[in-house]
Structures are given as C-alpha cells and as structure tokens.
Amino acid sequence: MRKPVILITGAGGEIGHGLIERLWEESRPAIITIDLNPLDASLHDRVSRELTGSILDTNLLERILSEYEVDMVFHLAALLSTRGEFTPVTAHQVNVEGTLNVLDFAQKQGESHGRAVVFLYPSSIAAYGLPDLETRGRAGKVREHEWNVPTTMYGCNKLYCEHLGRYFNHHYKQLAAEKLSGKVDFRAIRFPGLISAETVPSGGTSDYAPEMIHAAARGEPYACFVRPDTRIPFMAMPDAVDALLALARAERTRLRYNVYNIGAFNPSAEEIRQMVLEGFPEADIRFEPDLKRQAIVDSWPEDVDDSAARTDWGLSPRYGFREAFHDYLFPHIAARYGH
Ligand code: AKB
C-alpha cells in the first residue's frame, strides 16, 4: 500500500514556510516536501519526509509516485521575477519544465489512484503587463483576462503554466479513446506582493516592501529601489496561506475558473515607508530607484479585481494595510529580532 500524503514543492520558500506551519497547527497531515535546500530546522518535525532535490529530476518524482498516494500538490517551487531576468533560460527550466514535470506527476497519480489530484499553483501579478503608466492608471483594478502580456520571463512562465494547468485539467490527451482529463484539478491564485514577518524574500521585484520593514526591524538603513509613488497590491503572509487553503478546500462545482486574482491592500512605497515609521520611528529609509526594476513593477497593475475569488470560494483577507502592520508584522517582527 502506498501512503496518502500532501506534496509541497519549493517547501523551504516563503509561502511553504507559512503553509507547513498552518497545516501542522490545524491537523498535522502527512506531508512530503521537495526543495533544493534542506528545510529550516524549525520545520523538520512538521513533515513526514523531506526530499532535497529538484523538480527537474524526474527520477525523484518517479520515486515519490511509487511510494506515496498524493491527493493534493502545492507546487511552490519557482525562480522569481528579478532573478529570472539574470538567468532567463534557467528560469524557464525551473518555472515551466519543472511545472510540466509536476503536472505530469499529478496526472500519473490521479490515473493510478483514480481520484482527481487537487493542484495548487501560485501564479502572480507578474502575469500582467501594462504598457505605460497612463494606461496603468486608467486600468485600475484589472480582471483576470485583461492585460495578459507580461514583460518578464517569470511573468511569461506563470501565464503559460496557468494555461498548462488548464490544459491538464480540461483537455489532456483529448484525442485518446478514453477520457484522461480531470485527473488534475488545477487551481491557481495570482498572488500580489507578499509580506511575511518570518522570512525575507529573495529574487523578487515586489521585495521592496518586506525588505523595508525587515531592515527597519534590524536597525539597518534601507535604500528602496522604486519611486515613492509606486503602487502595487500586497498581502500579509497569513492571508496568502489562508487563501491557498480556502481554494484547495473549495467545492470544485463552485469554481468557475482555474485562475483567480486576490488582493488585500495596495499602498504606495511612500505609504509603506510612513507605516514602517509608525512601528520603527528610527527607521532610515530613502528612495534610490533602480530604473530597470522600476519598469518591471510599473508593468504590474496598481490593483486587481478579486471579486471572482470572493464569490466563488470566499476570499476574505483578515488584514487590511493598517492591520497587516500593526496586528501582524510589528509584533511578530519585533519578537523575531528580539525587540
Ligand atoms: C516577484 O516579485 O517576483 C514576486 C511576485 C510578485 O510574484 N513576489
């Protein structure tokens, strides 16, 4: 008998960290993880098995297939938008070929145990691409089907993998004699920038917000790489984890789409600086825009329309802008850095 488990790829990253903690607190399910690096010591006893390796290693995925029955996959492994621009081919390999491997793995799982594998995929606001600031201002809250012309390798990868997931879900091997689609129940969230009190992201372009608050908490000066008036959607990490779990647990019949926007608040970089100063009045934050990274952020929408997520699966973030900082970030970050 193979053992039933949840599979989390890229488990050592920001979302994985919060997700593993939350699953452990809730119900302690059997979890196996894949990450290029060993997990944080704090997560060791939260998982049944930790595999150090790559999603590009199909032998590793075959091994999991032979030993475990996976009903749910959180495919979090990815190379983010800034890093992807330095190594676009590697980004494509990890983000697209890696995702194809994991989708194929989920398909085989579904075929072997006969149930649909719920496949959670974190997509991103990077899947959007707005051509200029004037259009961006006019666009306001963008809907899922609008402005799907990303400018980064990461954004192109995310958008394409949304389509791959939809293909596996609804059209996989459509010319075969028997119906093979539906074994992968693909559900994607286009995440905004995420801010966690526990971890600092690396390789993203929305990183200026989390970097600003973590630097302030460490008492270090911070040079913000975007203009003060830069505005994109953000969300606190606990709400991002809640959203993933809410979508994972939603009745399939209630889901009209495979891909959903979510958002919580969309402050400007200057408004974030002001908010950080409320918690850390000594913070030394100045603006030194990097024009190339700025152009990436400027191609992302200043807000998203997440009404479909609210209607279909009850998206309802706990933290607005003020609450995210005062009720979540300040207390947790202060504890983390020993204030
Ligand atoms: C990034 O900046 O690349 C990510 C994202 C917005 O998906 N945080």
Side-chain angles (χ1 to χ4, degrees), residues 15 23 72 80 98 105 109 126 130 132 159 176 227 264 286 301 339:
I15 303 179
L23 287 168
M72 190 171 279
L80 299 184
F105 163 86
Q109 278 283 349
L130 289 114
D132 52 67
L159 186 61
R227 289 186 316 267
R286 62 188 188 287
H339 289 285

Side-chain angles (χ1 to χ4, degrees), residues 235-252:
M235 180 176 264
M237 189 57 82
D239 279 332
V241 171
D242 278 354
L244 261 183
L245 290 174
L247 181 58
R249 291 164 184 167
E251 280 291 330
R252 177 76 246 177

Side-chain angles (χ1 to χ4, degrees), residues 79-82 123-126 154 158 191-194 201 203-207 232 300:
L79 221 126
L80 299 184
S81 56
T82 288
S123 187
S124 164
I125 48 167
Y154 170 74
K158 286 290 178 189
F191 279 108
L194 299 178
T205 322
S206 63
D207 292 1
I232 58 167
W300 296 347

